[in-house]
Amino acid sequence: MPEFVELNAASAFSFLRASSLPEELAERAAALGSTALALVDRDGVSGAPRFFKAARAAGVRPIVGAALSLDGGGALPFLVETQRGYRNLCRLVTRMKAGVPKGEGRLRPEMLEGLVEGLFALPGVETLAGPAESRRLDTDRLARIVEAFGPGRVFLDVQRHRRREQEAANQSLLDLADA
């Protein structure tokens, strides 16, 4: 059975969304026997240096990323593969936050141009959910993400928390992945 690696951990640097410090996350992952952990804070990489150092000290492979708020709602998680990917992620954060009031930056599809090398995209229900009344996934949004990154750099994020209402959305994600 393959090892589970958490790819969506958020720290206290995801203001009002999580409370654990990056060091605590790294220590807990090591205590659980995890060999790797991804820190994907919302709209920034401020916790990444502390997380990277703590994870390495704890013997856990650090995977750095961020979940960037999208124009139109939701967020798109990114994982960094290379140093260039980290630079590109930092540039994406800068692009989405430039010239807007604090906390109001949103990523638009055209902002991805030229800045996807070294990154993986992990769209899931939060990224692809359409209007609440329809409960259908936005396949056009997914198509734009795949077009920007290429099919080999986009992986659909399916999470299972054993909630009945989540199962239909997960099945829709699985159907999209198959397609």
Side-chain angles (χ1 to χ4, degrees):
M1 184 161 137
E3 178 191 358
F4 171 78
V5 174
E6 175 60 59
L7 298 178
N8 257 319
S11 76
F13 287 90
S14 288
F15 302 108
L16 302 177
R17 296 180 185 276
S19 60
S20 297
L21 295 175
E23 296 86 355
E24 294 168 341
L25 293 170
E27 290 168 13
R28 184 66 177 148
L32 292 171
S34 294
T35 58
L37 175 67
L39 181 68
V40 184
D41 279 326
R42 190 65 165 259
D43 295 336
V45 292
S46 300
R50 290 172 54 176
F51 168 70
F52 193 87
K53 181 179 177 183
R56 304 257 334 246
V60 174
R61 179 175 164 237
I63 303 170
V64 173
L68 303 185
S69 296
L70 296 172
D71 192 35
L76 178 59
F78 296 89
L79 296 180
V80 170
E81 179 185 33
T82 63
Q83 287 181 345
R84 182 170 187 115
Y86 184 76
R87 284 193 303 268
N88 284 338
L89 181 57
C90 292
R91 288 180 176 132
L92 285 171
V93 170
T94 300
R95 277 187 185 178
M96 68 177 265
K97 291 184 175 189
V100 298
K102 186 175 182 174
E104 293 185 23
R106 301 288 180 265
L107 186 67
R108 296 183 311 278
E110 64 271 13
M111 292 176 173
L112 292 171
E113 186 156 338
L115 296 179
V116 298
E117 185 181 333
L119 294 172
F120 289 99
L122 295 174
V125 171
E126 186 182 356
T127 308
L128 301 175
E133 62 276 2
S134 77
R135 294 188 172 238
R136 292 176 46 213
L137 299 181
D138 185 345
T139 55
D140 291 335
R141 183 179 264 189
L142 177 60
R144 290 190 306 271
I145 294 167
V146 171
E147 183 180 329
F149 282 84
R153 304 201 64 80
V154 177
F155 296 90
L156 293 179
D157 178 23
V158 177
Q159 297 184 26
R160 189 160 190 222
H161 299 289
R162 301 198 186 280
R163 292 192 318 244
R164 185 179 305 253
E165 69 275 5
Q166 191 178 41
E167 294 305 315
N170 281 344
Q171 188 57 53
S172 294
L173 283 172
L174 294 172
D175 293 343
L176 279 175
D178 287 340

